[in-house]
């Protein structure tokens, strides 16, 4: 079973130093790899590279995200050659979202075009992860079509997938069953988002199409500005979700860390996960 942590490139020297401390704490959980996000249109190109280097020194195994919207084939090839020269062997291949008003541009329409390009130029030199949406992508024209696009993306040469975060485990299990029924056989790893700041989470979830179940939303809203209760309840909800997924059997787990260690360390402690290695539980 793989365990991975996702970080984003910090914007200032202060947050960069803070990330160094938080990622160091997470190193105690011995992740299989960590990943670093990439702003669509190359907006964090330098920041991503700096963070990838920082994480590589700390963890060894780092997967930079590469998004293709608005990019040229030459840009993407240069980026990937740079990563190969650094010894990177794993990437997360995405379409990305350009801010509204930027039009489309670029030479890639969808993530599948990026997967095909990587396989054409680099064959098997990268282990390629792609994105999956158990509750469907917000722009999907239909659930069936979205699933079909996902299946085609996997068959185009992806080695695995990481899901958007979710709070309905049934959505994940059904999505995996349906993808497997359509011939996917690569791992589909659930992405887990700890809940610490409910207002921020609600905004993200509206934008990315994740449903926050009514009972969670109502409980959270009832806490108002009581951040301690929000964190405590969020911790219980996400710990139960991870427990349920681990019990059912999953190929791995990917945490959206939001560059913070403590919420994840608390979940690991509550579930007595033995360094997350080999799914061993300590108690
Ligand atoms: P695609 O697989 O291209 O799908 C996007 C939409 O297009 C879907 O509705 C799909 O049904 C449709 N589609 C796909 N193929 C076709 C086709 N052939 N014809 C017609 N329609 C099609 N964004 C970033 O900018 N940077 C990041 O670092 C980043 N990391 C992420 C990590 C994970 C694990 C996840 C789940 C998402 C991440 N995102 C990131 C967000 C992602 O870029 C957006 O969700 C984006 O809108 C879709 O990206 P995708 O790779 O899933 O696109």
């Amino acid at each position: 079973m793989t365990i991975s942590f996702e970080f984003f490139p910090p914007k200032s020297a202060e947050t960069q130093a803070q990330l160094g401390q938080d990622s160091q704490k997470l190193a105690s959980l011995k992740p299989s790899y960590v990943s670093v996000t990439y702003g669509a249109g190359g907006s964090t190109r330098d920041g991503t590279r700096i963070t990838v280097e920082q994480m590589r020194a700390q963890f060894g195994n780092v997967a930079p995200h590469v998004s293709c919207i608005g990019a040229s084939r030459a840009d993407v090839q240069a980026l990937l050659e740079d990563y190969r020269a650094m010894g990177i062997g794993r990437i997360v291949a995405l379409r990305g979202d350009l801010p509204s008003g930027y039009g489309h541009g670029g030479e890639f329409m969808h993530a599948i075009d990026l997967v095909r390009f990587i396989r054409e130029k680099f064959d098997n030199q990268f282990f390629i992860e792609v994105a999956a949406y158990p509750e469907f992508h917000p722009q999907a024209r239909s659930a069936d079509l979205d699933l079909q696009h996902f299946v085609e993306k996997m068959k185009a040469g992806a080695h695995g997938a990481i899901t958007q975060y979710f709070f309905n485990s049934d959505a994940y299990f059904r999505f995996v069953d349906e993808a497997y029924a359509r011939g996917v056989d690569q791992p589909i790893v659930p992405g887990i988002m700890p809940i610490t700041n409910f207002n921020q989470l609600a905004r993200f979830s509206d934008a990315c199409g994740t449903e926050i179940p009514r009972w969670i939303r109502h409980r959270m809203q009832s806490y108002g500005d009581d951040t301690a209760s929000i964190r405590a309840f969020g911790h219980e909800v996400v710990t139960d979700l991870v427990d349920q997924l681990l019990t059912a059997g999953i190929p791995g787990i990917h945490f959206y860390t939001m560059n913070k260690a403590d919420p994840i360390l608390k979940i690991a402690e509550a579930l007595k996960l033995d360094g997350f290695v080999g799914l061993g539980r300590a108690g």
Side-chain angles (χ1 to χ4, degrees), residues 60-72:
N61 203 353
V62 183
H65 294 205
V66 176
S67 69
C68 61
I69 195 91
S72 69

Side-chain angles (χ1 to χ4, degrees), residues 5-281:
F5 298 130
E6 179 174 312
F7 301 108
F8 60 84
K11 289 204 172 81
S12 66
E14 194 189 344
T15 49
Q16 187 89 33
Q18 186 61 50
L19 172 59
Q21 290 172 19
D22 279 76
S23 56
Q24 192 54 44
K25 288 189 196 171
L26 286 170
S28 64
L29 297 177
K30 301 187 180 69
S32 321
Y33 71 96
V34 302
S35 81
V36 182
T37 63
Y38 184 81
S43 56
T44 66
R45 189 176 170 129
D46 294 344
T48 297
R49 197 181 189 289
I50 291 166
T51 308
V52 166
E53 277 181 351
Q54 181 186 359
M55 294 299 151
R56 210 165 70 94
Q58 219 173 342
F59 292 97
N61 203 353
V62 183
H65 294 205
V66 176
S67 69
C68 61
I69 195 91
S72 69
R73 290 164 67 92
D75 284 344
V76 172
Q77 181 154 355
L79 184 65
L80 293 172
E81 277 168 3
D82 182 34
Y83 284 144
R84 276 310 297 157
M86 283 172 75
I88 300 283
R90 184 174 201 127
I91 53 165
V92 184
L94 304 140
R95 185 195 71 178
D97 293 307
L98 282 182
S100 58
Y102 273 64
H104 173 253
E107 294 174 8
F108 301 89
M109 278 292 281
H110 299 289
I112 189 173
D113 304 323
L114 178 60
V115 172
R116 288 192 180 121
F117 179 76
I118 299 169
R119 293 302 295 259
E120 176 196 320
K121 298 288 178 190
F122 296 89
D123 192 19
N124 257 322
Q125 293 181 59
F126 290 104
F127 186 98
I128 307 171
E129 302 270 14
V130 292
Y133 301 84
E135 296 179 297
F136 305 105
H137 186 263
Q139 292 156 2
R141 275 191 281 145
S142 77
D144 188 65
L145 212 49
D146 202 38
L147 183 64
Q148 198 48 38
H149 289 145
F150 171 72
V151 170
E152 284 161 13
K153 183 165 66 173
M154 295 298 271
K155 290 184 178 173
H159 299 89
I162 302 167
T163 75
Q164 184 56 277
Y165 68 91
F166 56 86
F167 300 106
N168 296 309
S169 55
D170 285 349
Y172 168 77
F173 293 126
R174 179 163 283 269
F175 181 87
V176 170
D177 284 351
E178 290 184 354
Y180 279 29
R182 293 184 194 205
V184 168
D185 59 5
Q186 303 94 318
I188 303 175
V189 170
I192 299 294
M193 177 74 91
I195 305 178
T196 51
N197 177 334
F198 183 68
N199 290 335
Q200 188 190 50
L201 181 80
R203 271 199 312 279
F204 275 179
S205 304
D206 287 347
C208 71
T210 293
E211 185 193 43
I212 302 181
R214 185 180 150 83
W215 64 274
I216 298 180
R217 210 176 259 276
H218 274 249
R219 287 288 293 269
M220 287 293 186
Q221 283 163 348
S222 73
Y223 296 130
D225 294 333
D226 177 358
T227 48
S229 296
I230 290 174
R231 279 166 198 243
F233 181 63
H235 167 72
E236 278 176 32
V237 166
V238 177
T239 302
D240 285 352
L241 173 67
V242 174
D243 196 23
Q244 203 185 343
L245 291 166
L246 290 170
T247 304
I250 44 175
I253 195 156
H254 181 82
F255 282 101
Y256 295 102
T257 68
M258 305 303 283
N259 291 6
K260 297 271 180 278
D262 290 348
I264 293 162
L265 293 171
K266 271 188 76 183
I267 294 169
E269 193 186 336
L271 292 174
K272 297 191 170 56
L273 293 168
D274 182 15
F276 279 127
V277 176
L279 227 192
R281 285 180 184 227

